[in-house]
């Protein structure tokens, strides 16, 4: 079977995505593209097809770091290079797996040879392969923090540095960074988000005709990849020629004062931080003019550049949907009158994006003459196309029978009328959470853990490939054997068995799972509003500290997973805002649901430690589908969680002059702590979780008396 990529010009719809990628092909200085959208929207397909449209790269023969013959890197590890003719090769698209190691990304030194022979034996990594090409990161929002830091450094400096105990290697690493992500799986760190020049929101078309064309072309490609690519070769050649022509025209494009004023005013009007947005907008507007075959930047170029470069940079509340107010943008741009043309008194009309550079139609029927939508490589401006039937930042409503749409019990099942959802209180800044003990989870900023980065606390024999050398321990292990190994010179005789791996302690990310009572006894609006605000605040804190947060609610006859464990702030806000209240209290069912969620998460990510926060008054008036005595079911469920060593805290929401102490009894069964509702404010809830280290080692009755 052929390994040919799906042709770029055969991608149906997704006009904004294709335009953003083509602008980067015209001007790599734009800074790359971040593609945000739901699964199955041709994100990866379009990105992988882009490399075929890039011009070939001249390289020094035999150089593993893709040095240009005309200007080789003087610090190239394979250099110095002698002047001479170079060879040409296609531009590379290098894919960075989410689970890649740091050595795979930056390259690795042979530590044994470096110590014993003083030789810089270096094996290049993915950054070297991507130099002068494309570095593609699928699911970039799931990339580990230490890899994100490496990418930030390389993108900022245009070079990669590999250092191991005083032995260092540097090589050039200038690449076009392209990332794809599903926002439902979590957001990107702001530092990395700003490194992407442009961002595009994609969604599946709601037009049946266009969806049919997508299926038709995909099936045709899978049946005969080589034949399908051959049928689209003409369109690919036209787009490739247009990219080459736009690159040649780019140095002649004039960015006038009015265009610069519009760019600056747009960035200031949307309160973006720093000056990178202004620079990216200027480069994007210039590339748009070159792509249209013009030498002057017009207002529509600036507008299009703003729609691509500003949405991910504008200052906004974390719970707001991403996007840009186009009406406000037009008001800003209209403040500046158009300049009188100087060097181009009779400019040619801008060609329609659906035409080729000579003004002819770009194969509207497609190579098969099927009349399918978007048969050619034309790319209309952002804001048009069937994908705009849904707002880019607005999640699609799941069908009623979809597994993504939790089933709501009827009023009869709930044991009482359902009350309207209560709005969450304003989010706030929380104190840091922590889970007791020393974990080994994914790197984060929360609890103590053994990680690949952090302060060195010891040494051990390496398990697999050596990544962090403990120099003192290695020398100590090799020293007693120097005479037996026949050491004669000044250098140590190092064997592989002498090498020691540094043991480091840093921070990990955790899973904070809330189990919230949404029954009738909890339906007080102020109380539920504070609880929702606290959960949202902790979710925002989890985003900043690389945690996961989940939400289980129980009411009526059953419990449900209202928010699957996630780091997505937007998805969490939408789910919590619609949380209803009312009905009976199946507390035991809620705890069993929490146990099920934690069990599944343990299978998915065994090293991520959980923290359970139960928000309830302790009353159990329904056993749900399990049946039996509700209070006995609650006690058994709590003891099941305690037996698995899950750290727990109970927030006692009981009110009134007579207190039954049911929440305290629940905390005792969970092996955790209980606090009264009197101290339940948004900041108090955050502080409660922070104190879990003390809570899990203090008897529940003592904690209750201290809180009271």
């Amino acid at each position: 079977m052929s390994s040919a990529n799906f042709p770029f010009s055969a991608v149906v719809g997704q006009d904004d995505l294709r335009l953003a990628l083509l602008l980067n092909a015209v001007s790599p200085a734009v800074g790359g593209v971040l593609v945000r959208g739901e699964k199955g929207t041709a994100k990866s397909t379009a990105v992988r097809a882009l490399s075929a449209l890039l011009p070939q790269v001249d390289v020094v023969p035999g150089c593993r770091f893709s040095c240009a013959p005309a200007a080789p890197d003087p610090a190239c590890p394979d250099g110095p290079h002698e002047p001479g003719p170079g060879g040409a090769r296609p531009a590379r698209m290098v894919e960075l797996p989410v689970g890649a190691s740091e050595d795979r990304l930056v390259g690795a030194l042979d530590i044994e040879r470096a110590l014993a022979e003083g030789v810089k034996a270096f094996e290049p990594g993915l950054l070297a392969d991507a130099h002068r090409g494309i570095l593609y990161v699928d699911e970039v929002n799931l990339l580990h923090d230490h890899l994100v830091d490496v990418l930030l450094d390389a993108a900022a400096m245009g070079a990669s540095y590999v250092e191991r105990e005083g032995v260092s290697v540097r090589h050039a690493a200038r690449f076009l960074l392209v990332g794809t992500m599903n926002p439902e799986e979590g957001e990107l760190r702001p530092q990395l988000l700003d490194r992407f020049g442009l961002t595009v929101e994609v969604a599946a078309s709601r037009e049946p005709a266009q969806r049919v064309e997508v299926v038709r072309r995909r099936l045709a490609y899978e049946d005969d990849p080589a034949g399908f690519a051959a049928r689209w070769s003409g369109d690919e050649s036209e787009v490739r020629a247009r990219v080459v022509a736009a690159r040649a025209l780019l140095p002649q494009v004039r960015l006038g004062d009015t265009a610069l004023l519009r760019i600056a005013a747009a960035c200031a009007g949307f309160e973006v931080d720093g000056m990178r947005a202004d620079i990216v907008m200027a480069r994007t507007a210039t590339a748009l003019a070159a792509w249209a075959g013009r030498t002057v930047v017009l207002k529509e170029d600036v507008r299009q550049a703003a729609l691509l470069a500003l949405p991910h940079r504008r200052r906004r509340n974390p719970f707001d949907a991403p996007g840009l107010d186009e009406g406000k943008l037009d008001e800003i741009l209209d403040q500046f009158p158009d300049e009188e043309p100087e060097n181009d008194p009779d400019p040619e009309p801008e060609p329609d994006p659906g035409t080729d550079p000579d003004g002819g139609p770009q194969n509207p029927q497609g190579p098969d003459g099927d009349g399918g939508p978007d048969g050619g490589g034309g790319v209309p401006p952002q804001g048009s196309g069937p994908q705009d039937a849904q707002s880019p930042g607005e999640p699609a409503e799941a069908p009623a029978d979809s597994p993504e749409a939790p089933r709501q019990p009827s009023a009869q099942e709930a044991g009482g009328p359902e009350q309207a959802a209560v709005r969450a209180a304003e989010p706030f800044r929380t104190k840091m959470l922590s889970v007791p003990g020393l974990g080994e989870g994914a790197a984060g900023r929360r609890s103590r853990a053994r990680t690949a980065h952090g302060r060195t606390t010891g040494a051990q024999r390496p398990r697999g490939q050596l990544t962090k050398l403990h120099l003192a321990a290695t020398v100590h292990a090799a020293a007693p054997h120097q005479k037996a190994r026949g050491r004669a010179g000044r250098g140590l005789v190092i064997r592989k068995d002498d090498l020691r791996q540094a043991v480091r302690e840093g921070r990990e990310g955790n899973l904070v799972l809330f189990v919230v009572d949404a029954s009738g006894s909890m339906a007080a609006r102020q109380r539920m509003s504070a609880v929702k605000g606290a959960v949202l605040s902790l979710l925002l804190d989890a985003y900043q500290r690389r945690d996961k947060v989940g939400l289980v609610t129980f009411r009526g006859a059953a419990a449900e997973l209202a928010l699957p464990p996630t780091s997505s702030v937007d998805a969490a806000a939408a789910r919590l805002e619609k949380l209803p209240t009312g009905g009976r209290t199946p507390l035991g069912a809620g705890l069993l649901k929490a146990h099920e969620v934690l069990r599944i998460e343990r299978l998915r990510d065994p090293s991520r430690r959980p923290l359970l926060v139960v928000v309830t008054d302790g009353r159990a008036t329904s056993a749900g589908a399990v049946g039996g005595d509700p209070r006995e079911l609650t006690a058994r469920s709590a003891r099941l969680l305690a037996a698995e060593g899950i750290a727990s805290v109970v927030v006692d929401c009981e009110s009134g002059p007579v207190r039954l102490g049911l929440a305290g009894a629940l905390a005792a069964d969970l092996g955790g702590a209980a606090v009264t509702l009197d101290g339940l404010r948004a900041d108090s809830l955050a502080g409660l979780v922070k104190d879990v280290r003390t809570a899990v080692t203090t008897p529940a009755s003592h904690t209750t008396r201290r809180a009271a």
Side-chain angles (χ1 to χ4, degrees):
M1 182 175 178
S2 173
S3 60
N5 284 328
F6 192 91
F8 186 86
S9 53
V11 174
V12 179
Q14 305 302 3
D15 303 324
D16 300 340
L17 168 59
R18 293 187 293 126
L19 176 60
L21 293 172
L22 288 170
L23 291 177
N24 277 273
V26 171
S27 176
V30 166
V33 186
L34 173 65
V35 187
R36 296 165 47 96
E38 58 197 25
K39 50 188 176 292
T41 49
K43 301 189 297 293
S44 300
T45 299
V47 173
R48 292 190 175 99
L50 176 66
S51 59
L53 304 179
L54 299 181
Q56 289 194 328
V57 178
D58 292 328
V59 296
V60 173
C63 178
R64 298 174 298 168
F65 301 87
S66 303
C67 284
D73 182 6
C76 177
D78 285 354
H81 299 299
E82 296 294 332
R89 64 161 176 80
R92 291 175 181 160
M93 194 204 73
V94 178
E95 194 161 345
L96 172 61
V98 170
S101 66
E102 184 177 349
D103 284 346
R104 182 70 186 98
L105 177 61
V106 302
L109 286 171
D110 190 329
I111 301 297
E112 186 175 359
R113 291 188 63 193
L115 291 178
E117 305 173 28
V119 176
K120 292 183 181 179
F122 180 67
E123 184 66 28
L126 296 178
L127 289 180
D129 293 341
H131 179 48
R132 304 176 66 197
I134 302 173
L135 181 62
Y136 171 48
V137 189
D138 194 14
E139 306 293 351
V140 63
N141 51 323
L142 304 181
L143 201 62
H144 288 295
D145 271 4
H146 66 284
L147 297 183
V148 171
D149 294 335
V150 171
L151 276 182
L152 290 175
D153 291 340
M157 298 183 293
S160 175
Y161 293 85
V162 184
E163 299 191 9
R164 294 289 188 272
E165 304 298 339
V167 181
S168 62
V169 172
R170 173 210 170 274
H171 64 83
R174 293 184 295 276
F175 46 83
L176 175 63
L177 182 61
V178 181
T180 57
M181 61 174 285
N182 185 346
E184 292 182 357
E185 296 173 345
E187 293 291 342
L188 271 179
R189 285 172 54 184
Q191 296 92 331
L192 182 59
L193 191 63
D194 189 53
R195 290 294 177 185
F196 287 98
L198 310 179
T199 186
V200 177
E201 297 279 343
V202 296
S205 171
R206 298 298 184 258
E207 292 290 333
Q210 196 170 61
R211 297 175 74 96
V212 167
E213 187 62 21
V214 170
V215 175
R216 179 182 293 124
R217 294 188 188 181
R218 187 68 200 183
L219 293 179
Y221 169 74
E222 292 177 353
D223 288 343
D224 183 10
F228 185 83
R231 290 196 296 274
W232 285 90
S233 59
D235 297 75
E236 292 287 275
S237 298
E238 290 180 10
V239 178
R240 190 180 300 109
R242 187 173 176 185
V243 170
V244 172
R247 278 194 172 190
L249 184 62
L250 188 64
Q252 306 173 36
V253 177
R254 183 176 65 86
L255 187 64
D257 291 342
T258 300
L260 284 171
L261 283 171
R262 284 172 172 151
I263 290 170
C267 294
F270 287 102
E271 302 182 49
V272 297
D273 295 326
M275 294 298 297
R276 184 173 283 115
D278 304 65
I279 297 171
V280 170
M281 272 191 66
R283 290 170 174 166
T284 305
T286 304
L288 280 162
W291 176 250
R294 288 184 274 99
T295 58
V296 177
V297 174
L298 304 180
K299 182 174 74 172
E300 51 263 35
D301 299 325
V302 176
R303 185 181 191 277
Q304 183 71 63
L307 293 174
L308 293 172
L310 295 187
H312 63 301
R313 290 187 170 93
R314 72 180 183 89
R315 185 178 299 164
R316 63 184 180 93
N317 186 298
F319 304 118
D320 291 341
L324 209 64
D325 186 341
E326 296 190 30
K328 178 179 178 181
L329 175 62
D330 290 332
E331 290 179 6
I332 294 173
L333 299 182
D334 289 340
Q335 295 175 7
F336 305 93
D338 292 328
E339 290 179 330
E340 292 295 329
E342 297 176 3
N343 300 329
D344 195 6
D346 188 21
E348 296 182 4
E350 180 182 354
D352 185 82
T355 64
D356 62 22
D358 298 326
Q362 262 193 357
N363 194 10
Q365 297 297 323
D368 300 324
D370 55 15
D374 193 37
V379 183
Q382 181 164 331
S384 63
Q387 71 269 29
D388 292 322
Q390 177 182 338
S391 176
E394 181 181 348
E397 290 292 334
D401 57 350
S402 168
E404 293 295 325
R407 176 183 178 274
Q408 298 292 342
S410 65
Q412 184 176 2
E413 293 174 321
E418 181 177 299
Q419 302 185 21
V422 180
R423 294 186 61 87
E426 192 69 21
F428 55 89
R429 185 176 181 85
T430 68
K431 299 179 181 179
M432 190 180 76
L433 318 179
S434 63
V435 175
L438 188 64
E440 295 183 348
R445 302 178 182 179
R446 183 68 60 190
S447 304
R448 293 175 55 232
R450 296 186 183 92
T451 59
H453 298 267
R455 63 186 181 91
T456 301
T457 59
Q460 65 182 15
R461 292 182 181 272
R463 302 172 184 173
Q465 185 180 6
L466 178 70
T467 56
K468 298 292 183 181
L469 178 74
H470 195 295
L471 182 59
T474 299
V475 173
H476 187 269
H481 309 290
Q482 296 304 296
K483 184 176 181 180
R485 294 172 182 173
R487 174 185 172 187
R490 298 177 57 185
L492 286 174
V493 181
I494 301 291
R495 302 285 172 80
K496 190 172 184 178
D497 290 342
D498 300 328
L499 300 179
R500 294 294 183 269
Q501 174 86 20
V503 177
R504 297 174 180 249
E505 182 179 311
R507 295 282 175 176
E508 68 174 0
N510 298 113
L511 167 61
V512 181
L513 181 63
F514 283 85
V515 180
V516 179
D517 187 346
S519 64
S521 61
M522 291 284 294
R525 300 186 65 84
Q526 185 176 3
R527 185 184 311 160
M528 185 54 67
S529 176
V531 170
K532 284 187 177 182
V535 175
L536 287 177
S537 301
L538 286 170
L539 180 64
L540 177 58
D541 186 64
Y543 158 66
Q544 296 168 342
R545 301 187 184 278
R546 317 308 292 171
D547 291 317
K548 283 186 174 181
V549 172
L551 174 65
V552 171
T553 64
F554 56 93
R555 56 181 292 272
E560 65 180 15
L561 181 60
L563 176 65
T566 181
S567 298
S568 174
V569 175
D570 296 336
R575 300 287 178 89
L576 289 171
E577 197 68 29
K578 299 177 182 179
L579 178 65
T581 58
R584 304 181 69 184
T585 312
L587 177 54
L591 297 177
L592 288 177
K593 187 67 174 180
H595 180 269
E596 177 187 351
V597 172
L598 295 178
R599 179 183 60 82
I600 295 174
E601 284 300 307
R602 190 180 298 113
L603 295 175
R604 292 174 176 170
D605 191 354
S607 59
R608 188 179 293 270
R609 297 184 295 161
L611 170 64
L612 185 67
V613 179
V614 184
V615 184
T616 181
D617 56 10
R619 290 184 174 90
T621 61
S622 171
V626 179
D629 182 77
R631 290 173 293 182
E632 180 60 27
L633 175 62
T634 299
R636 291 202 315 267
S637 303
R639 290 193 290 268
L640 177 63
L641 289 164
E644 298 188 5
I646 297 172
S648 305
V649 172
V650 177
V651 179
D652 185 359
C653 299
E654 189 177 19
S655 59
V658 179
R659 309 183 66 87
L660 304 178
L662 299 177
L666 174 62
D669 289 333
L670 285 169
V675 295
T676 63
L677 186 60
D678 297 337
L680 181 58
R681 298 189 307 270
D683 53 352
S684 299
L685 183 56
L688 164 67
V689 184
K690 173 181 179 294
D691 295 334
V692 67
R693 182 189 303 274
T694 303
V696 297
T697 58
T698 305
S701 58
H702 295 173
T703 307
T704 305
R705 286 197 298 269
R706 184 173 64 250

